[in-house]
Every structure is written in C-alpha cells, then in structure tokens.
Amino acid sequence: IGTLWVIIAVLLYHFPSPWASVELVTWTLNVGVLGIGAGTSGLLATFVIQHPRLELMGWLPFSVINGVTGLLGFKLQRSFPVLLSALASALVSIRASIFVSDVTGSTVAGICSFGLLGFAVMAVAQKLDRSSQGFTAKGRRVEQARAM
C-alpha cells in the first residue's frame, strides 16, 4: 500500500492539476514512504528471526529500498523521505561496523568503519544535494523565461 501512495505522490507532482497541491503531494509521499519503511523493517526483522545465519543478506534489500526512498525525497524536494533514509543509513552503518568489529576482533576497526561509512554517506548526500540544486536552478530559469 505504501508503494501505491508513493506512485500517486509522484504522479501528482509530475502532472499538475487542481488536486495536486503541495500539501497533498507531501502528505501522500510521507504516508507512502512511512509505509514502505515500516514494511521493509518488518521484513528485515522477520528474515533475521527465521534465518539467523543469513542475517547479513537481509540488510541488502533494506538498504536499497531505503536508499531509493531517500533519492525520491531528493528528487521531489521533500524532507521526510530523506530523514527516514538517513535513519536507515545510520542503522546499516551501525550493523556494518558491528560486523567489521566481529570479523577483525577489534573494536577500533569497527569504530573506524563506522566513521568511514558515515563519511561516505555524507559525501553522497552532498553530491546529490548539489546536483538537485543545479536541476532546480535550471528549472527556475525555464519558468522565468516562460513567464516573460
């Protein structure tokens, strides 16, 4: 159901109509992303309980789905999907650092891996933010040219 709400929000955003108010787009997107986030978290927990030896494999779809919702938030310029994606990225970084700490037997290695993953997430977010600002600036120039 969350995916349906996200699709509706994207359609409302890209095809303006009297129904496509900013509030409606934001509301439907937030509800959809929250549903997707809760669903993927539930699937991760279920997978971990049913297959404890394959627990690390369950984090892959969780990471991908929450990353896509963050990208969608950047594209539609809404903060709540980006916030949920950042929270999910923090959870994945914590789990990965625990894995590194267990494999190496060193707490320092786990802390360093957490720092490196955090830096990588921030670098990607900065790159995406710059590219979305450039896109927005170009869009504004087009809108200003049409108004003249």
Side-chain angles (χ1 to χ4, degrees):
I1 293 179
T3 307
L4 178 65
W5 286 113
V6 169
I7 291 169
I8 291 170
V10 170
L11 290 174
L12 288 172
Y13 181 81
H14 286 295
F15 299 109
S17 70
W19 282 91
S21 68
V22 174
E23 294 83 10
L24 184 63
V25 171
T26 302
W27 179 255
T28 55
L29 183 65
N30 290 349
V31 168
V33 168
L34 186 61
I36 289 172
T40 55
S41 298
L43 286 174
L44 175 63
T46 303
F47 186 78
V48 168
I49 290 169
Q50 291 178 352
H51 308 286
R53 284 182 271 161
L54 300 174
E55 182 247 344
L56 291 176
M57 297 301 293
W59 286 91
L60 181 66
F62 178 79
S63 303
V64 170
I65 291 170
N66 284 298
V68 168
T69 59
L71 290 174
L72 186 63
F74 267 117
K75 177 70 177 161
L76 299 182
Q77 299 173 350
R78 302 296 190 267
S79 60
F80 188 67
V82 177
L83 174 70
L84 285 180
S85 179
L87 180 63
S89 296
L91 291 173
V92 170
S93 296
I94 290 169
R95 180 59 187 108
S97 66
I98 291 170
F99 174 74
V100 169
S101 180
D102 288 345
V103 168
T104 61
S106 170
T107 306
V108 174
I111 292 170
C112 289
S113 68
F114 180 74
L116 288 172
L117 286 170
F119 178 75
V121 168
M122 288 189 299
V124 169
Q126 286 292 322
K127 180 68 175 166
L128 288 172
D129 188 41
R130 286 189 190 132
S131 67
S132 69
Q133 285 176 354
F135 178 77
T136 304
K138 289 178 189 174
R140 285 188 190 138
R141 279 189 227 122
V142 170
E143 289 173 8
Q144 290 171 354
R146 287 182 188 162
M148 292 181 176

